[in-house]
Amino acid sequence: MKHLAYLLIALVGTVASAQSFQGMAVYESKTATPDISGMGGPGRPEITPEMKKMIQDRMKQALERTYILTFDKTSSTYLEEEKLDAPGQDNGGMRIMASFMGGGGKQYKNVKTKRFLQEKEVFGKEFLIDDSLPKLAWKMENETKKIGDYTCYKATAVVDASKSDFRNFKPKSPEEQKAAAEKLEKAKKEGNEKRTNFLEQMEMPKQVTITAWYTPDIPVSQGPENYWGLPGLILEVSNGKTTVLCSKVVINSKEKTEVKIPSKGKKVTQVEYDEIVMKKMQEMQEMYQQGGGAGPTIRIN
């Protein structure tokens, strides 16, 4: 009976420990700044070196961000760290750019129920993406490396590129850009004046390859953004253009943190949200081509 009592006490302690398990991880996200050397040229206003530098600085600011992942055994919240805006900064424009570049509001993942939620704001309209977690067919690789004090293991997966994440854009081939320029010249000769913009020089790949590094030392199937499904916390993940790297981990701190479920915005699926974003971007492009000015107003009903 005494041995049974000890066993029950140990079991209760283990269950309580599992229920109270929690952690926090800080991630730094960096994305290679798109090449804008092709801006300007036929059909487009000339871009001065000063303007190019300003655009690149703004992009760099939008593409380098810090996030906090709060997690327990089954769920997590991923949220960008709040920073003070610089004086005179176009806050609205930066928020739109950040949203298109993978940023946005609070994100929630539950690996037990396979549920995914994320708050997004686009053109002044708030959305709540409510969908199933993406299925990631991870392939375990025979490589390890140290990230901080943790031994990490490599895994890769091929996933469909998110149409609403403009970090996935890549420049069109020189042949495609040349064909587009020739088409534009022909239209001008026929009296069909048309303006072009930066997005016309880019294309969205159908798939991207993900490389992740996870540590079994932190036994949760969580990670940054919408990455999950590995036997340990993902400390680094990259799609070739964007790298998200963990810079700090705190486990079972005395200061308790809570995984909060997002709730703000109109509920949509991921596919519905992608369609809304692409439709509005198409409207912006058409307004620009028709000479609607540099600052078209886009409303989402």
Side-chain angles (χ1 to χ4, degrees):
M1 288 295 293
K2 185 180 293 186
H3 290 298
L4 179 59
Y6 286 147
L7 181 60
L8 288 172
I9 292 172
L11 180 61
V12 170
T14 301
V15 172
S17 176
Q19 289 176 338
S20 63
F21 178 86
Q22 61 158 7
M24 180 275 291
V26 179
Y27 291 88
E28 309 294 336
S29 175
K30 294 186 179 181
T31 301
T33 305
D35 180 12
I36 62 173
S37 59
M39 295 184 72
R44 299 190 297 275
E46 183 178 352
I47 303 295
T48 65
E50 291 76 16
M51 290 180 67
K52 286 184 179 180
K53 185 179 186 305
M54 182 191 73
I55 293 171
Q56 286 179 321
D57 289 344
R58 288 294 181 90
M59 285 185 172
K60 185 173 184 291
Q61 185 176 352
L63 295 171
E64 292 187 0
R65 316 186 81 81
T66 300
Y67 295 87
I68 308 296
L69 180 74
T70 303
F71 57 88
D72 54 32
K73 276 290 185 179
T74 59
S75 61
S76 68
T77 302
Y78 190 64
L79 183 64
E80 184 180 351
E81 184 179 57
E82 293 185 5
K83 294 181 180 179
L84 293 176
D85 295 318
Q89 180 174 288
D90 179 9
N91 301 330
M94 290 299 294
R95 281 197 299 270
I96 292 174
M97 184 182 294
S99 183
F100 289 156
M101 295 300 181
K106 187 185 302 176
Q107 184 189 78
Y108 170 84
K109 298 193 296 291
N110 189 309
V111 300
K112 185 176 181 180
T113 62
K114 307 295 188 294
R115 191 182 183 197
F116 168 80
L117 290 163
Q118 184 171 14
E119 295 172 345
K120 283 279 193 177
E121 180 182 344
V122 181
F123 299 114
K125 180 74 174 182
E126 291 184 335
F127 293 95
L128 179 65
I129 301 173
D130 187 348
D131 215 324
S132 299
L133 279 170
K135 294 180 180 179
L136 301 171
W138 292 109
K139 177 185 176 183
M140 303 305 185
E141 308 287 353
N142 296 320
E143 294 182 48
T144 64
K145 72 174 182 178
K146 295 281 285 189
I147 298 179
D149 296 328
Y150 297 96
T151 298
C152 294
Y153 297 82
K154 183 179 180 181
T156 58
V158 177
V159 301
D160 292 336
S162 170
K163 295 179 180 179
S164 62
D165 187 346
F166 287 10
R167 294 176 300 177
N168 292 323
F169 269 120
K170 65 178 183 179
K172 290 181 178 178
S173 68
E175 293 78 13
E176 290 174 312
Q177 294 196 35
K178 182 180 178 181
E182 291 174 350
K183 184 178 179 181
L184 176 62
E185 275 304 312
K186 182 180 178 181
K188 289 176 65 178
K189 288 178 181 179
E190 294 173 352
N192 184 17
E193 188 68 26
K194 179 182 176 183
R195 301 173 72 181
T196 63
N197 61 33
F198 177 55
L199 288 179
E200 289 183 308
Q201 309 301 311
M202 311 296 283
E203 65 179 356
M204 180 72 75
K206 292 183 179 180
Q207 294 183 317
V208 293
T209 299
I210 307 300
T211 301
W213 295 89
Y214 67 95
T215 177
D217 294 339
I218 306 175
V220 294
S221 187
Q222 293 285 349
E225 299 191 7
N226 58 352
Y227 301 116
W228 69 288
L230 287 168
L233 181 65
I234 298 173
L235 296 188
E236 181 180 338
V237 64
S238 173
N239 66 2
K241 295 182 66 177
T242 299
T243 298
V244 185
L245 176 63
C246 182
S247 59
K248 179 182 179 181
V249 179
V250 178
I251 302 296
N252 289 334
S253 169
K254 291 182 180 179
E255 184 178 339
K256 300 298 180 182
T257 55
E258 182 182 355
V259 175
K260 297 181 180 179
I261 301 178
S263 59
K264 292 195 305 182
K266 177 183 176 181
K267 279 192 177 184
V268 292
T269 64
Q270 184 67 61
V271 170
E272 289 171 338
Y273 176 78
D274 290 347
E275 290 175 349
I276 290 169
V277 171
M278 296 309 294
K279 179 181 177 181
K280 295 307 171 183
M281 289 305 298
Q282 182 65 32
E283 289 180 11
M284 286 185 67
Q285 182 171 321
E286 290 173 357
M287 291 176 68
Y288 184 87
Q289 289 173 342
Q290 294 167 5
T297 300
I298 301 293
R299 295 184 62 185
I300 299 179
N301 297 320

